[in-house]
Every structure is written in structure tokens, then in C-alpha cells.
Amino acid sequence: MKPFDYLRPASVEEAIAVWTPDAAYLGGGTNLVDLMKTGALHPGKLIDLNRLLGLDLIEMLADGSTRIGAMVRNADLAHDAGFAATFPMIAEALLSGASGQLRNVATVGGNLMQRSRCAYFQDPYSACNRRTPGVGCDAKEGDNRSHAILGFSDACIATNPSDFCVSLAALDAVVEVHGPRGRRDIPYADLHRLPGQTPEKETALEAGDLVLAIRLPSDAAAFRLNARYLKVRERTSFAFALVSAAAALRLEGGKIAAARLALGAVAAKPWRVPAAEAMLVGQSPGPALFARAAAMASAGAAPSGDNLYKIELARRTAARALSMAAAGTPTRMPALPASPFGEPAHV
Amino acid sequence: MSHSINLTVNGTRRDVTLEDARVTLLDLLRERLALPGTKKGCDRGQCGACTVLVDGRRINACLALAVTLDGAEVTTIEGLAKGDHLHPVQAAFVDHDGFQCGYCTPGQIMSAVGLIAEGQAGIDPERIREGMSGNLCRCAAYHGITEAVLDASRRMAEEEVRVSA
Ligand SMILES: Cc1cc2nc3c(=O)[nH]c(=O)nc-3n(C[C@H](O)[C@H](O)[C@H](O)COP(=O)(O)OP(=O)(O)OC[C@H]3O[C@@H](n4cnc5c(N)ncnc54)[C@H](O)[C@@H]3O)c2cc1C
Ligand code: SF4
Ligand code: FES
Ligand code: FES
């Protein structure tokens, strides 16, 4: 790790004022400190957000929306009884990510802004356009089994690793940021960028921008009875997704009145296709319908390397997540959140 | 730039001057505070060997910069027993052979103490396995580990009922 200055501002204004181009904001540090250890990142200054007041609240606003502060810990959000009852799919996504220890520390803001898990991004001795623009992409000829099947480019084939983000994208969250040029809202769909020729521009945040909070609009709560997150991994727990899907339905008189579907780990951002959601509306839920929606949701998928298997996996995961959502949100969080393995085995 | 912090480690106040902000809590405990019970496995949050409690919550000490923890209360494996009287989770690991080589064990035990305090797993073996998935065991002593956590959870719940009765 390279030496750095450590600052602990007391207010958001102060945090932004001490920001310089070589600085990084520190949330829980579970991603940033790791990447500083590998040498992939070497900020000259860490601005610790942990003592900022008021960023750790979960609030119901007067307009029916829910606001979650950037410093709320992943575990605290998932286990907040009111939040989990209203947004069970988000809680399930959170609890399917990382481990109990990591979730106790990881923040909402840090989870949103976490960096690529591409092995070549993490290794400072590999060529990576996302880390160092223009030097090439070692993943293209390397280990790319878990890389993107949608929205990738010649310059970069990495995926966004977050589970939380997939559920937020499905529910049209809004990201509140504050930066040197003031405060603004970013619609979730615009937060993460596809790589194109500039994979180093990962998000819509601008230099010095700080995530203050995310907001879930009032209509997001309407999906609570039929909302699931499904995550396919190489082991049952404590592994990143190969493919995941967030599926939420609003049923009225046996028909689908509204639908949301986002795919995870398939692209550099959570993948939503409005036409796949629209075709579900007015229909009766069922496997054939869900298979067609899933095909539409992953239309255009292509291998970026040794990952042809992910195309069929994405279709099946999306279709199954829709079926699980149609069957109803479980009354209690499953023992294995987001897992395709349902019934508990016994000791 | 040097930084002065104070921590309460296993009940004792420790004032520490860090010459360098790069020191992790794990290295501070092992190299500076003579508490080598907390182990370093991966140093990247992937194995759980470094699990300790900070303000009562289990975390990976390898990813926590010590300088960020000014004022915190830290409990390590060395602080769990009361003299010769083992913590119920420690006793259960002995009773159920929850280890083989023992390298992951301090982390497993601290993680189990944290998990039980979180109150999400109860006495459901599947929830315990899921809740303990941040702790890898190279010897694959998982069966004994799950039995130990299950037994300790039961005993601690009974103890609570007895005390409150
Ligand atoms: C072993 C391991 C397994 C994991 N498994 C999973 C998994 O299965 N699923 C999953 O989704 N995640 C997983 N993660 C990732 C984990 O979710 C992230 O590390 C965590 O959410 C990051 O949050 P943090 O607060 O620690 O962020 P930090 O490490 O503090 O920050 C991450 C990035 O965000 C920036 N940042 C932080 N806060 C803000 C803010 N408020 N405004 C602007 N920028 C900010 C930082 O500068 C940095 O670039 C895993 C991590 C590890 C180490
Ligand atoms: S896939 Fe993207 S993140 Fe990975 S090495 Fe290539 S440019 Fe870097
Ligand atoms: S040493 Fe900290 S998780 Fe492995
Ligand atoms: S007992 Fe050997 S690593 Fe777990």
C-alpha cells in the first residue's frame, strides 16, 4: 500500500471542501482498502466519511418515498424490520452478498460505488483500460468466464458485481449526490455507465461527488407481496453472482398489473429491458410467459469470452425469478437468501 | 503524518500512536499489541480468520484501518474467556471438535459470537451455516463447527431464560 494522508471531516461540506483529484472517499473500506492493498488503487488522500452526522438514517418521507443514508451499513438496512417488510427483494439481495462480517461494515454508498471484480482490474501488473485508459484489456485473452454478455465493448468486458444495485435498479431508485458543483439527483438507470471506449468513466458521478443517500419512490413499495432476488453462484454462499435476477410483480385479480425485471452480473450495469416488463402486463403469470419475458430481457446477449453458458443461464435465472416472485414473497427471509436451493438440509 | 488513537481492547484502554495510517486493525493487534490470537489468512476479507468484534459487531480486522477506529471497543479471542472459564462458544467448539489444525478457529469463534448476538440464525442449522459462510476452514471441520454453534446458541438461549426467570 502506498502512503496516504488521512482526513476525518465532520460535515459533508467539509468533506467536499477537502477533496482533491487524488483523494478517495472512505466508507466501510471493504472494497477500497482491498484494492489499495493489491496496488490497483493508490489514492494520496483518504477522506473518511464515518464521522459525518446524519448519513446513517432510514427515513420515510412525506411523499411516500423511502430515503436511505449513504452510511447505513448493508446489514443494518437488510435487518431493519420495517424496511425488509416493505422492500423484501432489496433485503434478500443484500443478504445474498458478501459475508456477515463484511455486511456489518459495508455501506450503502460504498456498495453502489464498488469497483469491478475483474481479476485484471485488481492486479496492477495487468493491462486494464478501466484502471489505466488505453493500455489494453488482459481479460479478453484471459480468465473471462464470469465476464459480460451484454453491453460490453472492445475496450472492456467487465460486469458490475453488486447484488444490491440490481434490486435498486429494478425499483427505479434515485441517487442523491452532493459535490463541488452542488446537489443533484441521478436516476438509477443513469448511475452506472456501459464501457464504450471510456470504461474508466464508471458512473455518472463527477469529480468530488459524494453519494448522500438513495431514495425509493412511493410506487416501489407496491411490489412487496411478489418480489424476489435470485442469485446463481459457484458455491451456495459467500460468492459473487455468475448471473442474478431481481423480479417484482404487482398482481391484481390474478393478472400482472405491473412488472419489474433486472439482470445482474451480465453487464457493467444492472440490465433492464422495458419491453420485457411491458409484455407481462395484463397477462396471467405462468412459466411459458416468463420464459418469453426472460428471452426478451436478455435479447442480444453474446459471449465476450469463455462465457457462452451465461446466456442460457441468464434466461433461466430470469424466468425462475419471475416464477418465484409470482409464487409470493416468503413471510420470512429464506435461510439461504436468493439461493436456488430451497429446502434446508439438516446437520 | 502520525495519528493518536485510543482503543479499548478486551476491556483495557490502549493509547496508540500510528506513525502511518496504513496499519490495519489486524496488524495493530498482532504486531503492536501482542495479541496474535487473531489470525491472518487471506488479508483480503475472503476467509474470516481475522474476525474480531468492534463495538460488539463482528468484522474482518484485515480490511479495517486502525486509524478509523478511534474510540472503539475491540474484543479478540484473547478477551473471551473469564480466567479459566471458557465462553460458551469456546466450550462448544471443544465439545464438538469444531476444528482440526485450529488456524481458522479464533475467527470462527469470534464470528459465531457475533452471529449469535445478531440473533438472525437462532437454532436453525441452515441459517447458522449461511451466517458462518464468511469463515472458511481449510481443514473442512464444518460439521463440527455447525454443531458447536448450534449447541452454544441453545445453551446461551437457555441461560438467558434462566437468568430472566
Ligand atoms: C470477499 C468479498 C466478497 C464480496 N462479495 C460480494 C457479493 O457477493 N455481492 C456484492 O454485492 N458485494 C460483495 N462484496 C463487495 C462489498 O459489497 C463491497 O466491498 C462493499 O459494499 C463496499 O462498501 P464499503 O462501504 O466498504 O465501500 P468502500 O470500500 O469504502 O468504498 C468503495 C468505493 O466507493 C467509494 N465510496 C464509498 N462511499 C462513497 C460515497 N458515499 N460517495 C461516493 N463514493 C463513495 C470509495 O471511494 C470507493 O471507491 C464482497 C467483498 C469482499 C471483500
Ligand atoms: S475487462 Fe475491463 S476491468 Fe477487466 S481487464 Fe479488461 S478493461 Fe480491465
Ligand atoms: S485475513 Fe481477514 S478475511 Fe482473511
Ligand atoms: S481447523 Fe484447520 S483451517 Fe479450520
Side-chain angles (χ1 to χ4, degrees):
Chain A
M1 220 192 286
K2 298 259 170 61
F4 54 85
D5 291 337
Y6 171 77
L7 300 175
R8 187 192 291 156
S11 69
V12 168
E13 290 68 27
E14 193 192 329
I16 292 164
V18 295
W19 185 86
T20 46
D22 69 337
Y25 292 125
L26 178 72
T30 61
N31 185 223
L32 183 57
V33 174
D34 186 24
L35 290 170
M36 287 166 67
K37 286 186 182 187
T38 70
L41 300 180
H42 30 79
K45 184 194 278 183
L46 282 196
I47 302 173
D48 187 351
L49 307 179
N50 285 278
R51 309 282 162 128
L52 302 186
L53 295 177
L55 291 193
D56 58 350
L57 303 176
I58 305 169
E59 302 162 284
M60 286 294 242
L61 303 183
D63 67 354
S65 63
T66 302
R67 184 174 187 270
I68 307 153
M71 293 303 288
V72 173
R73 308 290 160 171
N74 287 193
D76 293 338
L77 183 58
H79 290 139
D80 182 275
F83 179 83
T86 314
F87 302 106
M89 179 176 76
I90 300 178
E92 187 166 25
L94 281 167
L95 292 176
S96 76
S99 65
Q101 290 96 316
L102 289 159
R103 292 192 297 267
N104 274 343
V105 173
T107 63
V108 159
N111 194 320
L112 250 58
M113 297 301 291
Q114 65 173 296
R115 313 296 295 274
S116 169
R117 302 304 293 196
C118 173
Y120 309 96
F121 175 83
Q122 299 188 351
D123 168 26
Y125 304 104
S126 298
C128 170
N129 288 324
R130 188 175 282 270
R131 188 165 30 76
T132 316
V135 297
C137 166
D138 277 352
K140 286 200 290 182
E141 302 301 324
D143 178 358
N144 48 30
R145 266 179 43 79
S146 53
H147 284 64
I149 52 171
L150 286 159
F152 57 89
S153 73
D154 226 31
C156 177
I157 60 174
T159 59
N160 183 292
S162 168
D163 294 299
F164 184 41
C165 288
V166 185
S167 61
L168 293 177
L171 294 178
D172 282 335
V174 173
V175 183
E176 278 179 36
V177 302
H178 195 129
R181 295 195 291 129
R183 209 165 160 146
R184 68 185 198 287
D185 283 351
I186 302 174
Y188 209 86
D190 300 337
L191 179 67
H192 293 103
R193 302 176 74 257
L194 292 178
Q197 290 315 301
T198 51
E200 74 282 6
K201 295 209 175 85
E202 298 185 325
T203 69
L205 267 66
E206 286 169 24
D209 276 350
L210 187 62
V211 175
L212 287 186
I214 53 172
R215 283 199 317 271
L216 290 157
S218 56
D219 67 346
F223 294 98
R224 72 177 73 164
L225 297 177
N226 295 89
R228 293 301 301 270
Y229 186 68
L230 176 62
K231 175 177 176 185
V232 180
R233 298 158 261 197
E234 282 181 334
R235 59 185 183 197
T236 307
S237 181
F238 198 24
F240 284 93
L242 293 171
V243 170
S244 70
L249 302 171
R250 193 157 60 74
L251 299 177
E252 268 171 24
K255 301 259 197 249
I256 299 170
R260 301 288 176 82
L261 178 64
L263 293 178
V266 295
K269 61 190 288 186
W271 198 259
R272 264 182 83 180
V273 174
E277 297 172 359
M279 68 89 80
L280 290 166
V281 175
Q283 310 290 314
S284 303
L289 175 72
F290 291 154
R292 277 188 285 128
M296 220 183 239
S298 54
S304 61
D306 202 9
N307 57 1
L308 183 66
Y309 75 97
K310 283 182 73 163
I311 299 173
E312 181 65 17
L313 190 59
R315 273 195 214 118
R316 293 186 187 206
T317 305
R320 183 155 167 184
L322 285 166
S323 288
M324 288 164 64
T329 306
T331 48
R332 186 182 175 200
M333 183 60 66
L336 304 175
S339 171
F341 304 109
E343 287 310 297
H346 288 284
V347 180
Chain B
M1 194 165 39
S2 86
H3 305 268
S4 294
I5 60 167
N6 72 72
L7 297 173
T8 304
V9 184
N10 298 331
T12 308
R13 187 185 153 121
R14 311 288 295 250
D15 295 305
V16 183
T17 300
L18 301 164
E19 278 71 42
D20 190 318
R22 289 177 292 180
V23 182
T24 61
L25 175 61
L26 177 59
D27 287 339
L28 178 70
L29 292 168
R30 292 180 54 85
E31 314 285 337
R32 296 270 306 270
L33 301 182
L35 292 168
T38 307
K39 301 301 181 216
K40 184 183 283 192
C42 64
D43 213 21
R44 297 192 61 187
Q46 299 174 357
C47 76
C50 64
T51 305
V52 298
L53 304 183
V54 170
D55 296 328
R57 291 157 70 101
R58 53 181 175 153
I59 72 157
N60 303 105
C62 68
L63 291 181
L65 294 171
V67 68
T68 65
L69 297 174
D70 190 18
E73 206 166 293
V74 181
T75 308
T76 71
I77 190 73
E78 288 94 341
L80 224 47
K82 298 214 163 56
D84 284 343
H85 190 70
L86 293 183
H87 184 281
V89 175
Q90 289 175 304
F93 268 71
V94 174
D95 290 349
H96 294 276
D97 275 337
F99 42 78
Q100 189 174 325
C101 77
Y103 195 80
C104 71
T105 312
Q108 300 279 1
I109 290 176
M110 297 314 293
S111 186
V113 172
L115 174 72
I116 293 168
E118 285 159 19
Q120 301 295 333
I123 50 167
D124 176 346
E126 194 76 311
R127 286 179 197 271
I128 288 173
R129 275 192 289 269
E130 168 66 30
M132 292 292 294
S133 73
N135 293 81
L136 306 192
C137 174
R138 194 70 173 75
C139 301
Y142 295 112
H143 181 79
I145 293 168
T146 307
E147 291 285 0
V149 180
L150 197 55
D151 191 20
S153 307
R154 273 200 204 105
R155 279 197 246 170
M156 289 169 74
E158 280 164 17
E159 179 69 7
E160 227 169 77
V161 171
R162 204 184 55 75
V163 170
S164 62

